[in-house]
Amino acid sequence: MPAYQADSVKGYYAKYAASAGFPAQSGYNASNRAYPDVSALADSNAFCHNGICGGAGGTSAAAPTFGGFVSVLNAARAKAGKAHVGFLNPALYAAAAAHAEDMFEDVTEGSTKCNCVSCDTCDNGFMATPGFDLATGWGSPKWAGFVAHL
C-alpha cells in the first residue's frame, strides 16, 4: 500500500473491519493500493461521441468528471503562478487528512454491495462511513477547498 494512503486506509480497517457485512479478509488484499480516492457523479451522465449521444455510469463517468476537475484546478494554479499538482494522490491525502471538511462533501450512505437484480452475492461490501472509506474515498470534491489546500 502506498505510504500516502496508509494511515487513512488502516484507520478505516481498524474501525470497521469487524462490522457486519464487511468483506472477509480473504476477499481482498489489505496491503495493496486501496481505491477509490474520491467520488464523483456517476449515474446516467450524458455524453456524445462521433455524433452518437447516450449515457454512462460508474467509473466510466466518474473518472473523466474528476479528471476535468483536476484540469481546471491546474489551470487555476497556473493563473495564480503556482505549479501544476503533478501526481495528485500524495498531496490529496495529506491535505484531506487536515482539511477534509473544506475539501470534500462526505458521502456517508451506500456501499459496494451489489445492488442489481441479477446478483446473488449481496451480503457484504465496503460501507460508506464518516471520513475516508473504501466505498467513496474522501467523498465528492469541493472546489473552494481544493483551491485553498492544494
Side-chain angles (χ1 to χ4, degrees):
M1 170 183 318
Y4 63 78
Q5 71 172 184
D7 289 345
S8 301
V9 175
K10 289 177 182 177
Y12 177 78
Y13 288 146
K15 196 167 185 179
Y16 298 104
S19 300
F22 200 89
Q25 192 167 2
S26 62
Y28 63 93
N29 185 335
S31 64
N32 279 352
R33 161 100 167 77
Y35 51 87
D37 301 303
V38 299
S39 297
L41 180 64
D43 187 33
S44 301
N45 289 17
F47 74 92
C48 293
H49 179 69
N50 290 333
I52 300 171
C53 295
T59 303
S60 297
T65 297
F66 187 70
F69 185 90
V70 174
S71 293
V72 176
L73 173 65
N74 277 330
R77 289 177 58 83
K79 187 174 181 179
K82 298 178 180 178
H84 290 148
V85 294
F87 179 41
L88 179 63
N89 285 358
L92 178 104
Y93 277 80
H99 307 286
E101 288 185 15
D102 293 343
M103 295 177 65
F104 294 97
E105 186 66 41
D106 195 8
V107 180
T108 59
E109 294 182 22
S111 74
T112 62
K113 292 181 183 183
C114 178
N115 63 1
C116 60
V117 175
S118 63
C119 294
D120 58 5
T121 55
C122 301
D123 58 344
N124 64 61
F126 298 111
M127 302 300 295
T129 61
F132 177 85
D133 60 66
L134 296 177
T136 65
W138 287 103
S140 296
K142 294 180 183 177
W143 176 251
F146 265 62
V147 171
H149 301 296
L150 284 176

